[in-house]
Amino acid sequence: MKIKRIFKVLAMAGVLAVPTTSCSDWLDVKMSDKIMENALFSTNNGFMTALNGVYMGMIDVYGDDLSVGIIDVMAQYYDMVNGNHTYKVFANYQYEDEAFKTKSNNIWTKMYALLANVNNLLEHCDEEGSALRSEYYPIVKGEALALRAMMHFDLLRLYGPSYNENTKSTTAIPYQEDANREISPLRSAEYIVDRVIEDLKAASELLKDNDPVFTTGVGNAVTSDDGLERADFTYRQLRLNYFAVQTLLARAYLWKGDKSTAYRIATEEVIKRNQVDEEKMIFPWTTKEQVEADNKNDLLFSSEVFFAIYHSKRSQLDSRYFTGALPKTSRLAFWGTNPTNSQLSVLFDDPNNDWRSTLMWAVQTSSEDEGGDGEEGGDGEEGNEEEGGSSGSGSLYLLKYADAGREAELDGTETYLYMIPLIRLSEAYLIAAECAATPEEALEYLVAIREHRNCHMALEATSMDGVKELVTKEFAREVLGEGQLFFYYKRLNMDKFLEGSKLGSMYEMLTDNYQWPLPDVEINKRGSTNN
């Protein structure tokens, strides 16, 4: 497949090695490393290698933990089987447990290591006599600034407080934006989100008139007269293109509580600019034919994805988290054993039609499951509401990433088989709905999503509180397996939301649990001063 060949090349972009140290000592480099660095940035191709290396390095964090893995467990999507589950530490927010501490240390270390490489790239972009070609400059620098903003923002969303007027001065994380050797001070949540916004605005300015997505679309263009080598800028969905950056910017303003700006960006810069004319969209809604195609059904709605991580071994996520070969206490599954008597019937208001319900989940049995015939899509017995629904004849498991056995049927264009979505079109509509002036306007944005999900149930809301409830449910349906729901709950500081371990039950959240403690690897580097 062409896409796999391209990213095999990108995967070799390890000349800028990603270190495994904390943010405070990543610049302890040997002279030989500095010579290699200078050699790397002596050519235009070297800049692309460095940038691609950051994208590929993001797999280590966004290819699992901050998408389909523990962050979705912490959003209480799944049945934890009476507290005996492998991931109960994360479901129960046991931040002092060694398993959590190890995971947190790894995420922090990898993220700041990637940020080190981004900052190094940015400094070389603006060096006098830089080898970066002028036509490449706005795209490379724009993407790099957006990467720096996105990773800092996600670190803030993990380690910072639920943001409001009372917490915005709370000390959170460092904002690493240069290549000096000094430990960066811990900054307030307000400082971090303002720096995120500043970087995203700068990235937008660079990309708005230069991003190839406006002229060649999201796929591969083989010819051009703008001086760009097309192999460097294919598959704009796998890079932080203009629409991804603008949606991130709306996301950041919403985190800050600036609904009017978030609304303007979502509607004017994303929704309207994406609509080229009455019939054409740059990122079009996924069609019924694409969703229901035999053995090639696109369960990601991938044409709508603004930004995704490319993961050549993505199918391993299915065997790691969802497959029936796993014991019940290691498998991520909804409460219940069939769609009509499970959390699916609560999460989805039109479960018999909504593609997110009818196509993305199936019943799978394993040797531990009593009864059942082991076939996907079978009708399991009713679960035991008091003891946990996964103890019946099977478990409802996610099909979103179960694509491993389909290679022989493919023609080389199915990028969605290797994508882990992080930003999508529907988020702009959800932001617009949440920030709309009236319930009537909000419903228009929600209906626009639902008509492209085969939902036929009518929506009603007579107040913005009613809109908030509808947006929350729609958001949870849209980002299942994509690592965004925990952050949504945290932004709103919600103390109750749907839980995965009992039919229709609401999880009572201790809002202090939304904030991860600063990891030991960073505390130890800073010593007793912790600044």
Side-chain angles (χ1 to χ4, degrees):
M1 296 176 63
K2 180 179 288 186
I3 182 67
K4 294 186 74 174
R5 290 198 300 273
I6 289 175
F7 277 85
K8 281 182 180 178
V9 175
L10 299 189
M12 296 174 66
V15 180
L16 270 182
V18 176
T20 56
T21 56
S22 80
C23 71
S24 58
D25 63 352
W26 57 264
L27 278 165
D28 269 339
V29 296
K30 299 177 182 178
M31 183 59 68
S32 59
D33 297 326
K34 194 68 178 176
I35 292 171
M36 289 180 64
E37 174 192 317
N38 290 336
L40 178 67
F41 291 112
S42 66
T43 67
N44 190 76
N45 285 341
F47 279 88
M48 294 306 301
T49 296
L51 181 60
N52 293 335
V54 175
Y55 281 114
M56 296 303 295
M58 292 174 75
I59 294 172
D60 290 341
V61 177
Y62 291 96
D64 190 328
D65 293 330
L66 296 188
S67 56
V68 67
I70 63 169
I71 202 70
D72 260 9
V73 169
M74 296 178 79
Q76 303 298 328
Y77 271 121
Y78 303 114
D79 181 9
M80 288 292 105
V81 195
N82 294 322
N84 296 320
H85 203 280
T86 300
Y87 300 104
K88 68 178 181 180
V89 167
F90 305 100
N92 295 336
Y93 315 104
Q94 295 174 259
Y95 295 139
E96 294 304 313
D97 190 279
E98 287 303 315
F100 173 82
K101 287 185 175 184
T102 298
K103 185 68 72 176
S104 178
N105 283 337
N106 288 340
I107 290 172
W108 180 277
T109 298
K110 290 173 181 176
M111 291 280 269
Y112 276 105
L114 288 169
L115 286 166
N117 287 347
V118 170
N119 286 324
N120 204 17
L121 170 62
L122 284 167
E123 291 193 359
H124 282 281
C125 283
D126 289 317
E127 279 184 337
E128 185 177 354
S130 170
L132 184 62
R133 285 159 49 181
S134 60
E135 61 270 26
Y136 275 63
Y137 176 86
I139 307 173
V140 171
K141 185 174 180 181
E143 288 184 24
L145 285 169
L147 284 166
R148 183 168 76 183
M150 178 180 176
M151 287 187 280
H152 276 113
F153 187 41
D154 284 341
L155 285 163
L156 174 66
R157 295 199 295 172
L158 289 171
Y159 296 97
S162 295
Y163 193 96
N164 57 51
E165 284 298 312
N166 295 323
T167 64
K168 66 183 185 180
S169 60
T170 303
T171 300
I173 63 170
Y175 202 90
Q176 191 69 44
E177 55 187 336
D178 54 41
N180 65 49
R181 293 173 178 265
E182 309 212 350
I183 297 175
S184 296
L186 297 175
R187 302 290 191 176
S188 70
E190 183 178 31
Y191 178 93
I192 299 299
V193 75
D194 284 346
R195 294 297 295 117
V196 166
I197 288 171
E198 185 177 326
D199 273 349
L200 289 172
K201 289 170 72 174
S204 297
E205 284 299 308
L206 288 163
L207 292 169
K208 69 177 183 179
D209 296 321
N210 299 286
D211 195 327
V213 76
F214 291 114
T215 54
T216 62
V218 300
N220 184 23
V222 295
T223 60
S224 175
D225 57 4
D226 57 10
L228 300 175
E229 299 292 336
R230 282 294 140 211
D232 289 336
F233 296 104
T234 57
Y235 301 103
R236 294 302 291 162
Q237 291 177 291
L238 305 178
R239 311 183 77 89
L240 281 172
N241 61 76
Y242 180 82
F243 289 95
V245 172
Q246 284 293 311
T247 308
L248 273 175
L249 188 56
R251 188 187 284 180
Y253 273 113
L254 197 55
W255 186 266
K256 192 178 180 180
D258 187 346
K259 285 191 171 184
S260 62
T261 304
Y263 174 83
R264 178 187 60 78
I265 293 170
T267 55
E268 298 293 328
E269 296 299 326
V270 181
I271 295 173
K272 287 186 179 179
R273 288 201 71 175
N274 183 52
Q275 189 76 48
V276 178
D277 54 43
E278 290 186 4
E279 296 183 356
K280 182 180 179 182
M281 301 171 77
I282 295 175
F283 291 86
W285 294 105
T286 302
T287 66
K288 176 181 176 69
E289 290 73 25
Q290 290 169 310
V291 173
E292 296 183 344
D294 186 28
N295 202 42
K296 293 177 65 174
N297 49 323
D298 183 353
L299 301 183
L300 292 187
F301 310 124
S302 67
S303 64
E304 309 165 20
V305 174
F306 286 156
F307 177 55
I309 294 298
Y310 177 84
H311 195 341
S312 63
K313 298 180 180 179
R314 196 197 69 180
S315 60
Q316 293 179 356
L317 296 177
D318 180 60
S319 58
R320 186 179 306 158
Y321 290 114
F322 305 111
T323 180
L326 292 167
K328 289 183 296 184
T329 52
S330 295
R331 193 186 319 158
L332 296 185
F334 259 144
W335 189 97
T337 56
N338 66 75
T340 59
N341 185 36
S342 71
Q343 290 298 72
L344 289 177
S345 63
V346 179
L347 179 60
F348 296 96
D349 59 359
D350 192 6
N352 295 323
N353 293 300
D354 191 332
W355 290 323
R356 295 167 299 186
S357 173
T358 59
L359 296 177
M360 289 189 186
W361 286 86
V363 176
Q364 178 162 324
T365 62
S366 72
S367 58
E368 294 185 46
D369 298 315
E370 298 175 5
D373 57 11
E375 294 182 0
E376 296 181 4
D379 295 328
E381 298 173 2
E382 293 187 1
N384 184 325
E385 183 172 339
E386 297 300 320
E387 296 300 325
S390 291
S391 61
S393 64
S395 63
L396 288 157
Y397 80 110
L398 185 65
L399 289 172
K400 205 167 193 176
Y401 299 114
D403 302 311
R406 298 160 59 178
E407 295 270 356
E409 303 294 329
L410 307 179
D411 60 17
T413 62
E414 297 82 0
T415 313
Y416 58 82
L417 291 179
Y418 308 97
M419 294 169 67
I420 298 179
L422 298 178
I423 308 170
R424 55 171 64 248
L425 172 63
S426 57
E427 183 176 352
Y429 283 78
L430 289 164
I431 290 173
E434 182 178 345
C435 302
T438 66
E440 292 76 18
E441 182 191 5
L443 290 178
E444 290 179 8
Y445 289 112
L446 293 175
V447 169
I449 298 172
R450 290 165 62 84
E451 70 180 10
H452 296 286
R453 300 295 181 259
N454 201 40
C455 291
H456 306 303
M457 296 288 291
L459 293 181
E460 293 184 5
T462 58
S463 68
M464 292 311 292
D465 283 341
V467 168
K468 177 182 174 181
E469 183 177 351
L470 293 176
V471 169
T472 299
K473 291 179 179 178
E474 209 65 50
F475 194 92
R477 297 166 191 145
E478 276 294 288
V479 299
L480 180 57
E482 298 176 17
Q484 296 299 322
L485 186 60
F486 176 79
F487 297 129
Y488 176 89
Y489 290 153
K490 178 173 180 173
R491 174 171 61 80
L492 297 174
N493 206 29
M494 293 178 65
D495 58 5
K496 287 185 180 180
F497 47 80
L498 187 66
E499 71 166 316
S501 293
K502 191 174 181 181
L503 184 63
S505 178
M506 300 297 285
Y507 186 87
E508 296 188 8
M509 181 69 164
L510 297 176
T511 53
D512 286 348
N513 286 339
Y514 281 124
Q515 184 172 359
W516 289 20
L518 202 67
D520 290 346
V521 67
E522 193 61 24
I523 292 174
N524 294 338
K525 284 290 179 182
R526 292 175 181 276
S528 59
T529 58
N530 196 30
N531 59 30

